[in-house]
């Protein structure tokens, strides 16, 4: 069996209401100046937590103006605020963009490196400040991954910084923080989490230690996403999605994603389409493209997807079963309101050549794909969505 390295937060806490555990843990650490990154809709949910930390003597600075697709320039301005505050610890409470920025602030606030010089894998030289992540969507899995994404406005492309130093010291996954997430965001982020699990399981570098997370994540998300979209207060569905997202995040470090994510980056970079939505609209087309390269794996994905329905298939032919998995994703995407065509997102077909060229730059993910993706293949996948 091939070697694999699993890097995870030292502490992962999961459960409805577990945000209170953050307060108790933080008070024991001895830090005094906490830089909190969040977003305006989250502030009312975390006021009691911030009040409890302040009552314990913590000096807190809150930054809540992170854009949905933060740029390199946005990050540079934010990290400067953390320096001015003289932060000794960082907490991110929000969606993937908030968590990614929090991770990078902790890494660069007292570093002589620049984020712009660290795109890629393994370029951060040292651990930064203590930091914790609390996701409010389910989701990117960023709370347990070594990845952070920024939009590099120099070439209009979303880029990743990947480092073991971007793994949180602690992650608190409180499904209650997701109860107020709007239906559209629930759909987009849920499809993102599902994509993480599917791409990890069908990845060229898939591994049994990660497969168990990926398959269980697929089952949980497939069985509960539509319910959570239609009834955001359904506690059971929200907990299942949060757990499925966590499992997807645990796949990202050791295995990571592949062509769906690589092809989605130009959609976000040039047209500012939300990351989860970009993945969602591309997922079934890429699954169909990849299935011939590893039909058994895609058949097993299909079995996991179909296990959540009364329509579970008894088909033993891998190719046919893999196609049933693709069909399931099409049905799920439609049920939760994902558009079918790139024109529905305002992306003209004249942009295809440029997007394909940009996608080919994301080799850190394309190298993971079970089937080689050429620039023409990328064009064909994009064109199939018109």
């Amino acid at each position: 069996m091939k070697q694999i390295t699993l890097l995870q937060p030292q502490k992962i806490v999961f459960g409805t209401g577990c945000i209170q555990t953050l307060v108790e843990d933080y008070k024991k650490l001895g830090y005094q100046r906490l830089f909190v990154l969040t977003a305006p809709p989250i502030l009312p949910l975390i006021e009691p937590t911030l009040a409890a930390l302040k009552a314990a003597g913590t000096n807190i600075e809150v930054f809540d103006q992170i854009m949905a697709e933060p740029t390199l320039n946005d990050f540079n301005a934010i990290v400067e605020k953390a320096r001015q505050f003289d932060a000794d610890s960082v907490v991110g409470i929000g969606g993937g963009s908030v968590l990614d920025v929090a991770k990078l602030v902790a890494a660069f606030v007292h570093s002589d490196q620049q984020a712009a010089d660290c795109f890629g894998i393994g370029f951060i030289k040292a651990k930064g400040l203590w930091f914790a992540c609390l996701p409010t969507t389910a989701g990117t899995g960023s709370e347990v991954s070594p990845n952070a994404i920024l939009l590099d406005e120099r070439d209009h492309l979303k880029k990743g910084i990947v480092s073991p130093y971007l793994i949180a010291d602690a992650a608190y996954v409180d499904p209650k923080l997701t109860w107020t997430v709007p239906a559209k965001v629930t759909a987009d982020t849920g499809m993102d989490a599902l994509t993480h699990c599917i791409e990890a399981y069908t990845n060229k570098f898939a591994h049994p230690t990660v497969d168990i997370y990926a398959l269980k994540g697929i089952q949980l998300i497939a069985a509960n996403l539509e319910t959570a979209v239609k009834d955001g207060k359904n506690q059971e569905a929200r907990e299942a999605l949060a757990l499925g997202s966590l499992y997807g995040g645990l796949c990202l470090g050791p295995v990571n994603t592949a062509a769906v994510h690589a092809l989605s980056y130009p959609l976000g970079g040039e047209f500012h389409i939300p990351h989860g939505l970009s993945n969602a609209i591309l997922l079934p087309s890429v699954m169909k493209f990849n299935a011939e390269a590893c039909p058994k794996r895609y058949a097993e994905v299909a079995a996991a997807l179909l296990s959540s329905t009364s329509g579970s298939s008894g088909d033993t032919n891998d190719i046919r079963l893999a196609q049933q998995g693709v069909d399931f994703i099409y049905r799920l995407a439609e049920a939760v309101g994902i558009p079918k065509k790139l024109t529905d997102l305002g992306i003209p077909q004249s942009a295809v050549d440029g997007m394909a060229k940009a996608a080919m730059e994301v080799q850190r993910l394309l190298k993971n794909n079970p089937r080689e993706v050429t620039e023409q293949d990328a064009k064909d996948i994009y064109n199939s969505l018109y």
Side-chain angles (χ1 to χ4, degrees), residues 210-245:
V210 176
D211 288 348
I212 191 168
Y213 293 135
L215 282 179
K216 189 60 180 177
I218 291 167
Q219 292 172 347
L220 286 167
I221 298 165
N224 291 279
L225 180 57
E226 186 176 353
T227 299
V229 168
K230 293 180 177 177
D231 178 11
K233 292 295 196 295
N234 185 306
Q235 183 172 335
E236 183 179 352
R238 286 295 195 185
E239 288 177 340
L241 279 191
L243 187 56
S245 174

PDB file of all heavy atoms in Angstrom, residues 210-245:
ATOM      1  N   VAL A 210      -8.386   7.604   3.237  1.00  0.00           N
ATOM      2  CA  VAL A 210      -9.229   8.753   2.910  1.00  0.00           C
ATOM      3  C   VAL A 210     -10.551   8.297   2.302  1.00  0.00           C
ATOM      4  O   VAL A 210     -11.574   8.966   2.452  1.00  0.00           O
ATOM      5  CB  VAL A 210      -8.473   9.702   1.949  1.00  0.00           C
ATOM      6  CG1 VAL A 210      -9.366  10.860   1.510  1.00  0.00           C
ATOM      7  CG2 VAL A 210      -7.216  10.248   2.630  1.00  0.00           C
ATOM      8  N   ASP A 211     -10.543   7.158   1.629  1.00  0.00           N
ATOM      9  CA  ASP A 211     -11.756   6.631   1.004  1.00  0.00           C
ATOM     10  C   ASP A 211     -12.920   6.564   1.989  1.00  0.00           C
ATOM     11  O   ASP A 211     -14.071   6.839   1.634  1.00  0.00           O
ATOM     12  CB  ASP A 211     -11.517   5.218   0.458  1.00  0.00           C
ATOM     13  CG  ASP A 211     -10.641   5.204  -0.785  1.00  0.00           C
ATOM     14  OD1 ASP A 211     -10.397   6.288  -1.367  1.00  0.00           O
ATOM     15  OD2 ASP A 211     -10.205   4.100  -1.172  1.00  0.00           O
ATOM     16  N   ILE A 212     -12.629   6.193   3.222  1.00  0.00           N
ATOM     17  CA  ILE A 212     -13.698   6.016   4.207  1.00  0.00           C
ATOM     18  C   ILE A 212     -14.403   7.341   4.488  1.00  0.00           C
ATOM     19  O   ILE A 212     -15.619   7.393   4.657  1.00  0.00           O
ATOM     20  CB  ILE A 212     -13.132   5.371   5.500  1.00  0.00           C
ATOM     21  CG1 ILE A 212     -14.281   4.945   6.418  1.00  0.00           C
ATOM     22  CG2 ILE A 212     -12.162   6.295   6.204  1.00  0.00           C
ATOM     23  CD1 ILE A 212     -13.826   4.057   7.563  1.00  0.00           C
ATOM     24  N   TYR A 213     -13.622   8.441   4.534  1.00  0.00           N
ATOM     25  CA  TYR A 213     -14.224   9.765   4.693  1.00  0.00           C
ATOM     26  C   TYR A 213     -15.035  10.140   3.452  1.00  0.00           C
ATOM     27  O   TYR A 213     -16.148  10.665   3.547  1.00  0.00           O
ATOM     28  CB  TYR A 213     -13.137  10.828   4.892  1.00  0.00           C
ATOM     29  CG  TYR A 213     -12.355  10.752   6.173  1.00  0.00           C
ATOM     30  CD1 TYR A 213     -10.970  10.889   6.159  1.00  0.00           C
ATOM     31  CD2 TYR A 213     -12.981  10.569   7.406  1.00  0.00           C
ATOM     32  CE1 TYR A 213     -10.224  10.839   7.339  1.00  0.00           C
ATOM     33  CE2 TYR A 213     -12.250  10.521   8.582  1.00  0.00           C
ATOM     34  CZ  TYR A 213     -10.870  10.656   8.538  1.00  0.00           C
ATOM     35  OH  TYR A 213     -10.134  10.616   9.698  1.00  0.00           O
ATOM     36  N   ALA A 214     -14.443   9.895   2.279  1.00  0.00           N
ATOM     37  CA  ALA A 214     -15.074  10.319   1.037  1.00  0.00           C
ATOM     38  C   ALA A 214     -16.418   9.630   0.814  1.00  0.00           C
ATOM     39  O   ALA A 214     -17.423  10.280   0.513  1.00  0.00           O
ATOM     40  CB  ALA A 214     -14.133  10.038  -0.141  1.00  0.00           C
ATOM     41  N   LEU A 215     -16.464   8.318   0.982  1.00  0.00           N
ATOM     42  CA  LEU A 215     -17.711   7.584   0.738  1.00  0.00           C
ATOM     43  C   LEU A 215     -18.797   7.963   1.746  1.00  0.00           C
ATOM     44  O   LEU A 215     -19.963   8.141   1.381  1.00  0.00           O
ATOM     45  CB  LEU A 215     -17.462   6.080   0.779  1.00  0.00           C
ATOM     46  CG  LEU A 215     -16.829   5.462  -0.469  1.00  0.00           C
ATOM     47  CD1 LEU A 215     -16.613   3.978  -0.271  1.00  0.00           C
ATOM     48  CD2 LEU A 215     -17.679   5.715  -1.722  1.00  0.00           C
ATOM     49  N   LYS A 216     -18.416   8.094   3.013  1.00  0.00           N
ATOM     50  CA  LYS A 216     -19.413   8.476   4.011  1.00  0.00           C
ATOM     51  C   LYS A 216     -19.905   9.894   3.767  1.00  0.00           C
ATOM     52  O   LYS A 216     -21.095  10.182   3.920  1.00  0.00           O
ATOM     53  CB  LYS A 216     -18.827   8.346   5.423  1.00  0.00           C
ATOM     54  CG  LYS A 216     -19.882   8.525   6.521  1.00  0.00           C
ATOM     55  CD  LYS A 216     -20.987   7.467   6.404  1.00  0.00           C
ATOM     56  CE  LYS A 216     -22.038   7.637   7.494  1.00  0.00           C
ATOM     57  NZ  LYS A 216     -23.148   6.667   7.342  1.00  0.00           N
ATOM     58  N   GLY A 217     -18.993  10.776   3.358  1.00  0.00           N
ATOM     59  CA  GLY A 217     -19.406  12.137   3.030  1.00  0.00           C
ATOM     60  C   GLY A 217     -20.396  12.176   1.879  1.00  0.00           C
ATOM     61  O   GLY A 217     -21.386  12.912   1.914  1.00  0.00           O
ATOM     62  N   ILE A 218     -20.132  11.363   0.852  1.00  0.00           N
ATOM     63  CA  ILE A 218     -21.050  11.285  -0.293  1.00  0.00           C
ATOM     64  C   ILE A 218     -22.436  10.849   0.174  1.00  0.00           C
ATOM     65  O   ILE A 218     -23.457  11.445  -0.195  1.00  0.00           O
ATOM     66  CB  ILE A 218     -20.507  10.308  -1.354  1.00  0.00           C
ATOM     67  CG1 ILE A 218     -19.260  10.890  -2.024  1.00  0.00           C
ATOM     68  CG2 ILE A 218     -21.563  10.000  -2.417  1.00  0.00           C
ATOM     69  CD1 ILE A 218     -18.479   9.884  -2.863  1.00  0.00           C
ATOM     70  N   GLN A 219     -22.490   9.822   0.993  1.00  0.00           N
ATOM     71  CA  GLN A 219     -23.777   9.315   1.485  1.00  0.00           C
ATOM     72  C   GLN A 219     -24.532  10.371   2.281  1.00  0.00           C
ATOM     73  O   GLN A 219     -25.733  10.597   2.067  1.00  0.00           O
ATOM     74  CB  GLN A 219     -23.545   8.072   2.343  1.00  0.00           C
ATOM     75  CG  GLN A 219     -23.058   6.864   1.573  1.00  0.00           C
ATOM     76  CD  GLN A 219     -22.659   5.715   2.489  1.00  0.00           C
ATOM     77  OE1 GLN A 219     -22.517   5.879   3.691  1.00  0.00           O
ATOM     78  NE2 GLN A 219     -22.466   4.534   1.911  1.00  0.00           N
ATOM     79  N   LEU A 220     -23.840  11.038   3.196  1.00  0.00           N
ATOM     80  CA  LEU A 220     -24.495  12.029   4.063  1.00  0.00           C
ATOM     81  C   LEU A 220     -25.030  13.204   3.266  1.00  0.00           C
ATOM     82  O   LEU A 220     -26.163  13.656   3.481  1.00  0.00           O
ATOM     83  CB  LEU A 220     -23.496  12.527   5.113  1.00  0.00           C
ATOM     84  CG  LEU A 220     -23.159  11.563   6.249  1.00  0.00           C
ATOM     85  CD1 LEU A 220     -21.933  12.053   7.016  1.00  0.00           C
ATOM     86  CD2 LEU A 220     -24.358  11.403   7.187  1.00  0.00           C
ATOM     87  N   ILE A 221     -24.221  13.714   2.359  1.00  0.00           N
ATOM     88  CA  ILE A 221     -24.637  14.903   1.605  1.00  0.00           C
ATOM     89  C   ILE A 221     -25.739  14.556   0.616  1.00  0.00           C
ATOM     90  O   ILE A 221     -26.736  15.287   0.497  1.00  0.00           O
ATOM     91  CB  ILE A 221     -23.427  15.534   0.903  1.00  0.00           C
ATOM     92  CG1 ILE A 221     -22.401  16.000   1.946  1.00  0.00           C
ATOM     93  CG2 ILE A 221     -23.866  16.715   0.026  1.00  0.00           C
ATOM     94  CD1 ILE A 221     -21.031  16.299   1.385  1.00  0.00           C
ATOM     95  N   ALA A 222     -25.602  13.442  -0.090  1.00  0.00           N
ATOM     96  CA  ALA A 222     -26.630  13.042  -1.057  1.00  0.00           C
ATOM     97  C   ALA A 222     -27.977  12.838  -0.381  1.00  0.00           C
ATOM     98  O   ALA A 222     -29.027  13.171  -0.944  1.00  0.00           O
ATOM     99  CB  ALA A 222     -26.197  11.757  -1.764  1.00  0.00           C
ATOM    100  N   ALA A 223     -27.971  12.320   0.833  1.00  0.00           N
ATOM    101  CA  ALA A 223     -29.221  12.010   1.523  1.00  0.00           C
ATOM    102  C   ALA A 223     -29.878  13.219   2.167  1.00  0.00           C
ATOM    103  O   ALA A 223     -31.085  13.190   2.452  1.00  0.00           O
ATOM    104  CB  ALA A 223     -28.964  10.956   2.602  1.00  0.00           C
ATOM    105  N   ASN A 224     -29.113  14.308   2.370  1.00  0.00           N
ATOM    106  CA  ASN A 224     -29.636  15.395   3.204  1.00  0.00           C
ATOM    107  C   ASN A 224     -29.619  16.782   2.574  1.00  0.00           C
ATOM    108  O   ASN A 224     -30.224  17.703   3.128  1.00  0.00           O
ATOM    109  CB  ASN A 224     -28.844  15.452   4.518  1.00  0.00           C
ATOM    110  CG  ASN A 224     -29.120  14.258   5.405  1.00  0.00           C
ATOM    111  OD1 ASN A 224     -30.124  14.204   6.111  1.00  0.00           O
ATOM    112  ND2 ASN A 224     -28.231  13.272   5.349  1.00  0.00           N
ATOM    113  N   LEU A 225     -28.949  16.946   1.438  1.00  0.00           N
ATOM    114  CA  LEU A 225     -28.815  18.290   0.878  1.00  0.00           C
ATOM    115  C   LEU A 225     -30.160  18.884   0.492  1.00  0.00           C
ATOM    116  O   LEU A 225     -30.473  20.034   0.844  1.00  0.00           O
ATOM    117  CB  LEU A 225     -27.868  18.273  -0.326  1.00  0.00           C
ATOM    118  CG  LEU A 225     -27.649  19.639  -0.997  1.00  0.00           C
ATOM    119  CD1 LEU A 225     -27.136  20.663  -0.007  1.00  0.00           C
ATOM    120  CD2 LEU A 225     -26.678  19.501  -2.175  1.00  0.00           C
ATOM    121  N   GLU A 226     -30.967  18.141  -0.223  1.00  0.00           N
ATOM    122  CA  GLU A 226     -32.252  18.689  -0.665  1.00  0.00           C
ATOM    123  C   GLU A 226     -33.120  19.075   0.534  1.00  0.00           C
ATOM    124  O   GLU A 226     -33.769  20.123   0.535  1.00  0.00           O
ATOM    125  CB  GLU A 226     -32.982  17.683  -1.552  1.00  0.00           C
ATOM    126  CG  GLU A 226     -34.254  18.244  -2.177  1.00  0.00           C
ATOM    127  CD  GLU A 226     -34.921  17.280  -3.140  1.00  0.00           C
ATOM    128  OE1 GLU A 226     -34.347  16.217  -3.435  1.00  0.00           O
ATOM    129  OE2 GLU A 226     -36.048  17.605  -3.602  1.00  0.00           O
ATOM    130  N   THR A 227     -33.124  18.258   1.570  1.00  0.00           N
ATOM    131  CA  THR A 227     -33.907  18.567   2.766  1.00  0.00           C
ATOM    132  C   THR A 227     -33.427  19.861   3.413  1.00  0.00           C
ATOM    133  O   THR A 227     -34.228  20.721   3.792  1.00  0.00           O
ATOM    134  CB  THR A 227     -33.805  17.420   3.789  1.00  0.00           C
ATOM    135  OG1 THR A 227     -34.336  16.237   3.210  1.00  0.00           O
ATOM    136  CG2 THR A 227     -34.580  17.740   5.061  1.00  0.00           C
ATOM    137  N   ALA A 228     -32.115  20.025   3.553  1.00  0.00           N
ATOM    138  CA  ALA A 228     -31.571  21.224   4.183  1.00  0.00           C
ATOM    139  C   ALA A 228     -31.849  22.473   3.361  1.00  0.00           C
ATOM    140  O   ALA A 228     -32.073  23.557   3.915  1.00  0.00           O
ATOM    141  CB  ALA A 228     -30.068  21.055   4.402  1.00  0.00           C
ATOM    142  N   VAL A 229     -31.835  22.334   2.031  1.00  0.00           N
ATOM    143  CA  VAL A 229     -32.143  23.477   1.169  1.00  0.00           C
ATOM    144  C   VAL A 229     -33.596  23.916   1.361  1.00  0.00           C
ATOM    145  O   VAL A 229     -33.914  25.106   1.425  1.00  0.00           O
ATOM    146  CB  VAL A 229     -31.859  23.127  -0.309  1.00  0.00           C
ATOM    147  CG1 VAL A 229     -32.449  24.191  -1.244  1.00  0.00           C
ATOM    148  CG2 VAL A 229     -30.355  22.992  -0.536  1.00  0.00           C
ATOM    149  N   LYS A 230     -34.490  22.950   1.482  1.00  0.00           N
ATOM    150  CA  LYS A 230     -35.921  23.263   1.584  1.00  0.00           C
ATOM    151  C   LYS A 230     -36.354  23.615   3.002  1.00  0.00           C
ATOM    152  O   LYS A 230     -37.348  24.311   3.198  1.00  0.00           O
ATOM    153  CB  LYS A 230     -36.735  22.079   1.053  1.00  0.00           C
ATOM    154  CG  LYS A 230     -36.542  21.872  -0.447  1.00  0.00           C
ATOM    155  CD  LYS A 230     -37.354  20.694  -0.978  1.00  0.00           C
ATOM    156  CE  LYS A 230     -37.184  20.574  -2.495  1.00  0.00           C
ATOM    157  NZ  LYS A 230     -37.889  19.402  -3.054  1.00  0.00           N
ATOM    158  N   ASP A 231     -35.610  23.120   4.003  1.00  0.00           N
ATOM    159  CA  ASP A 231     -35.953  23.379   5.397  1.00  0.00           C
ATOM    160  C   ASP A 231     -34.668  23.593   6.181  1.00  0.00           C
ATOM    161  O   ASP A 231     -34.105  22.671   6.747  1.00  0.00           O
ATOM    162  CB  ASP A 231     -36.750  22.207   5.984  1.00  0.00           C
ATOM    163  CG  ASP A 231     -37.090  22.397   7.460  1.00  0.00           C
ATOM    164  OD1 ASP A 231     -36.896  23.519   7.983  1.00  0.00           O
ATOM    165  OD2 ASP A 231     -37.534  21.426   8.101  1.00  0.00           O
ATOM    166  N   GLY A 232     -34.216  24.841   6.206  1.00  0.00           N
ATOM    167  CA  GLY A 232     -32.936  25.150   6.819  1.00  0.00           C
ATOM    168  C   GLY A 232     -32.875  24.890   8.307  1.00  0.00           C
ATOM    169  O   GLY A 232     -31.783  24.781   8.877  1.00  0.00           O
ATOM    170  N   LYS A 233     -34.012  24.790   8.956  1.00  0.00           N
ATOM    171  CA  LYS A 233     -34.035  24.557  10.404  1.00  0.00           C
ATOM    172  C   LYS A 233     -34.098  23.067  10.750  1.00  0.00           C
ATOM    173  O   LYS A 233     -34.232  22.715  11.921  1.00  0.00           O
ATOM    174  CB  LYS A 233     -35.232  25.273  11.028  1.00  0.00           C
ATOM    175  CG  LYS A 233     -35.152  26.805  11.010  1.00  0.00           C
ATOM    176  CD  LYS A 233     -34.013  27.310  11.870  1.00  0.00           C
ATOM    177  CE  LYS A 233     -34.153  28.797  12.170  1.00  0.00           C
ATOM    178  NZ  LYS A 233     -34.053  29.641  10.991  1.00  0.00           N
ATOM    179  N   ASN A 234     -34.022  22.217   9.733  1.00  0.00           N
ATOM    180  CA  ASN A 234     -34.043  20.785   9.996  1.00  0.00           C
ATOM    181  C   ASN A 234     -32.701  20.388  10.611  1.00  0.00           C
ATOM    182  O   ASN A 234     -31.683  20.293   9.921  1.00  0.00           O
ATOM    183  CB  ASN A 234     -34.292  20.006   8.697  1.00  0.00           C
ATOM    184  CG  ASN A 234     -34.456  18.514   8.924  1.00  0.00           C
ATOM    185  OD1 ASN A 234     -33.613  17.868   9.529  1.00  0.00           O
ATOM    186  ND2 ASN A 234     -35.547  17.961   8.422  1.00  0.00           N
ATOM    187  N   GLN A 235     -32.700  20.169  11.924  1.00  0.00           N
ATOM    188  CA  GLN A 235     -31.452  19.956  12.636  1.00  0.00           C
ATOM    189  C   GLN A 235     -30.726  18.707  12.172  1.00  0.00           C
ATOM    190  O   GLN A 235     -29.501  18.705  12.005  1.00  0.00           O
ATOM    191  CB  GLN A 235     -31.714  19.870  14.145  1.00  0.00           C
ATOM    192  CG  GLN A 235     -30.442  19.726  14.970  1.00  0.00           C
ATOM    193  CD  GLN A 235     -30.690  19.847  16.462  1.00  0.00           C
ATOM    194  OE1 GLN A 235     -31.655  20.460  16.897  1.00  0.00           O
ATOM    195  NE2 GLN A 235     -29.810  19.255  17.262  1.00  0.00           N
ATOM    196  N   GLU A 236     -31.452  17.640  11.922  1.00  0.00           N
ATOM    197  CA  GLU A 236     -30.822  16.390  11.503  1.00  0.00           C
ATOM    198  C   GLU A 236     -30.119  16.557  10.166  1.00  0.00           C
ATOM    199  O   GLU A 236     -28.983  16.096   9.976  1.00  0.00           O
ATOM    200  CB  GLU A 236     -31.874  15.273  11.416  1.00  0.00           C
ATOM    201  CG  GLU A 236     -31.296  13.923  11.045  1.00  0.00           C
ATOM    202  CD  GLU A 236     -32.350  12.826  11.001  1.00  0.00           C
ATOM    203  OE1 GLU A 236     -33.503  13.078  11.398  1.00  0.00           O
ATOM    204  OE2 GLU A 236     -32.019  11.706  10.551  1.00  0.00           O
ATOM    205  N   ALA A 237     -30.781  17.237   9.218  1.00  0.00           N
ATOM    206  CA  ALA A 237     -30.176  17.445   7.902  1.00  0.00           C
ATOM    207  C   ALA A 237     -28.964  18.359   8.003  1.00  0.00           C
ATOM    208  O   ALA A 237     -27.933  18.124   7.355  1.00  0.00           O
ATOM    209  CB  ALA A 237     -31.211  18.019   6.938  1.00  0.00           C
ATOM    210  N   ARG A 238     -29.066  19.417   8.812  1.00  0.00           N
ATOM    211  CA  ARG A 238     -27.948  20.339   8.972  1.00  0.00           C
ATOM    212  C   ARG A 238     -26.739  19.640   9.596  1.00  0.00           C
ATOM    213  O   ARG A 238     -25.597  19.870   9.202  1.00  0.00           O
ATOM    214  CB  ARG A 238     -28.371  21.532   9.833  1.00  0.00           C
ATOM    215  CG  ARG A 238     -29.284  22.541   9.147  1.00  0.00           C
ATOM    216  CD  ARG A 238     -28.600  23.241   7.986  1.00  0.00           C
ATOM    217  NE  ARG A 238     -29.337  24.423   7.564  1.00  0.00           N
ATOM    218  CZ  ARG A 238     -29.023  25.163   6.516  1.00  0.00           C
ATOM    219  NH1 ARG A 238     -27.990  24.825   5.757  1.00  0.00           N
ATOM    220  NH2 ARG A 238     -29.732  26.229   6.204  1.00  0.00           N
ATOM    221  N   GLU A 239     -26.984  18.805  10.587  1.00  0.00           N
ATOM    222  CA  GLU A 239     -25.880  18.084  11.215  1.00  0.00           C
ATOM    223  C   GLU A 239     -25.226  17.121  10.226  1.00  0.00           C
ATOM    224  O   GLU A 239     -23.990  16.996  10.177  1.00  0.00           O
ATOM    225  CB  GLU A 239     -26.382  17.339  12.448  1.00  0.00           C
ATOM    226  CG  GLU A 239     -26.721  18.271  13.609  1.00  0.00           C
ATOM    227  CD  GLU A 239     -27.292  17.554  14.814  1.00  0.00           C
ATOM    228  OE1 GLU A 239     -27.778  16.411  14.666  1.00  0.00           O
ATOM    229  OE2 GLU A 239     -27.247  18.140  15.913  1.00  0.00           O
ATOM    230  N   ALA A 240     -26.048  16.450   9.433  1.00  0.00           N
ATOM    231  CA  ALA A 240     -25.505  15.511   8.452  1.00  0.00           C
ATOM    232  C   ALA A 240     -24.663  16.235   7.405  1.00  0.00           C
ATOM    233  O   ALA A 240     -23.582  15.757   7.014  1.00  0.00           O
ATOM    234  CB  ALA A 240     -26.646  14.749   7.774  1.00  0.00           C
ATOM    235  N   LEU A 241     -25.134  17.397   6.944  1.00  0.00           N
ATOM    236  CA  LEU A 241     -24.363  18.163   5.965  1.00  0.00           C
ATOM    237  C   LEU A 241     -23.056  18.655   6.554  1.00  0.00           C
ATOM    238  O   LEU A 241     -22.006  18.608   5.903  1.00  0.00           O
ATOM    239  CB  LEU A 241     -25.166  19.368   5.470  1.00  0.00           C
ATOM    240  CG  LEU A 241     -26.222  19.156   4.391  1.00  0.00           C
ATOM    241  CD1 LEU A 241     -26.688  20.503   3.876  1.00  0.00           C
ATOM    242  CD2 LEU A 241     -25.698  18.313   3.246  1.00  0.00           C
ATOM    243  N   ALA A 242     -23.106  19.149   7.798  1.00  0.00           N
ATOM    244  CA  ALA A 242     -21.889  19.641   8.441  1.00  0.00           C
ATOM    245  C   ALA A 242     -20.873  18.517   8.587  1.00  0.00           C
ATOM    246  O   ALA A 242     -19.663  18.718   8.373  1.00  0.00           O
ATOM    247  CB  ALA A 242     -22.220  20.242   9.810  1.00  0.00           C
ATOM    248  N   LEU A 243     -21.339  17.324   8.930  1.00  0.00           N
ATOM    249  CA  LEU A 243     -20.432  16.188   9.069  1.00  0.00           C
ATOM    250  C   LEU A 243     -19.886  15.756   7.709  1.00  0.00           C
ATOM    251  O   LEU A 243     -18.687  15.479   7.558  1.00  0.00           O
ATOM    252  CB  LEU A 243     -21.147  15.024   9.751  1.00  0.00           C
ATOM    253  CG  LEU A 243     -20.278  13.816  10.130  1.00  0.00           C
ATOM    254  CD1 LEU A 243     -19.108  14.239  11.009  1.00  0.00           C
ATOM    255  CD2 LEU A 243     -21.129  12.757  10.831  1.00  0.00           C
ATOM    256  N   GLY A 244     -20.759  15.723   6.700  1.00  0.00           N
ATOM    257  CA  GLY A 244     -20.299  15.387   5.351  1.00  0.00           C
ATOM    258  C   GLY A 244     -19.272  16.375   4.839  1.00  0.00           C
ATOM    259  O   GLY A 244     -18.280  15.996   4.203  1.00  0.00           O
ATOM    260  N   SER A 245     -19.481  17.663   5.134  1.00  0.00           N
ATOM    261  CA  SER A 245     -18.524  18.693   4.731  1.00  0.00           C
ATOM    262  C   SER A 245     -17.196  18.512   5.455  1.00  0.00           C
ATOM    263  O   SER A 245     -16.122  18.668   4.861  1.00  0.00           O
ATOM    264  CB  SER A 245     -19.102  20.075   5.024  1.00  0.00           C
ATOM    265  OG  SER A 245     -18.148  21.081   4.769  1.00  0.00           O
TER     266      SER A 245
END
